[in-house]
Amino acid sequence: GTIQPNDPLYRSVIINAQRAALDDPRFSPVQPDELAFLTIEVSVLSQPEPIASYKEFEVGKHGIILEKDGRSAVFLPEVALEQGWDREQTLSYLAKKAGLSPDAWKEEADYLVFTTQKYTEPQPESH
């Protein structure tokens, strides 16, 4: 995905869909015979806004970006909810995702929050 817009939204969707399908090192590339089983979901992020303290981060409402020591990581708002994490757990996993120690979020870190508008393709009606 893209946090800051570099292209018009439609172009970002195309570029990131291709990257997710073919270039994500966490997964094997999507094969043509898998396409019928995929559901496309696009999350459009609001402009990230800095917050003064991690205490302003609202689990489930905000996505969050942690920046510290030249490293950064991001979670969409639904990540913490899907995992059942509270604020502190979310921040610990976010710090680890950034390559930092799990408690690195507690001091001298910067935070940005955002919201998302999610679009999911309609599911075919079953007969």
Side-chain angles (χ1 to χ4, degrees):
T2 306
I3 304 299
Q4 296 290 342
N6 298 318
D7 295 296
L9 180 58
Y10 79 91
R11 181 97 175 104
S12 290
V13 170
I14 293 168
I15 291 167
N16 288 306
Q18 182 176 349
R19 287 180 183 157
L22 303 175
D23 300 329
D24 189 326
R26 299 172 295 174
F27 308 103
S28 299
V30 173
Q31 300 302 306
D33 61 336
E34 297 174 302
L35 291 174
F37 302 102
L38 296 180
T39 300
I40 297 172
E41 183 175 280
V42 176
S43 294
V44 179
L45 282 56
S46 68
Q47 181 67 35
E49 299 288 338
I51 55 175
S53 166
Y54 67 85
K55 294 175 183 175
E56 295 177 40
F57 164 57
E58 295 181 47
V59 172
K61 176 182 178 184
H62 294 136
I64 188 162
I65 302 167
L66 170 120
E67 297 175 338
K68 182 174 179 174
D69 298 337
R71 297 179 176 266
S72 66
V74 60
F75 280 147
L76 295 174
E78 61 267 19
V79 171
L81 293 178
E82 290 170 355
Q83 299 299 320
W85 297 336
D86 61 20
R87 179 186 295 134
E88 290 75 19
Q89 289 171 311
T90 302
L91 295 169
S92 291
Y93 282 106
L94 189 61
K96 287 172 59 176
K97 183 178 181 184
L100 301 165
S101 69
D103 62 349
W105 59 271
K106 294 179 180 179
E107 293 182 4
E108 298 179 17
D110 294 315
Y111 303 95
L112 296 101
V113 295
F114 57 88
T115 57
T116 59
Q117 187 166 355
K118 192 180 294 190
Y119 299 91
T120 304
E121 72 177 320
Q123 297 300 304
E125 292 184 30
S126 57
H127 298 282

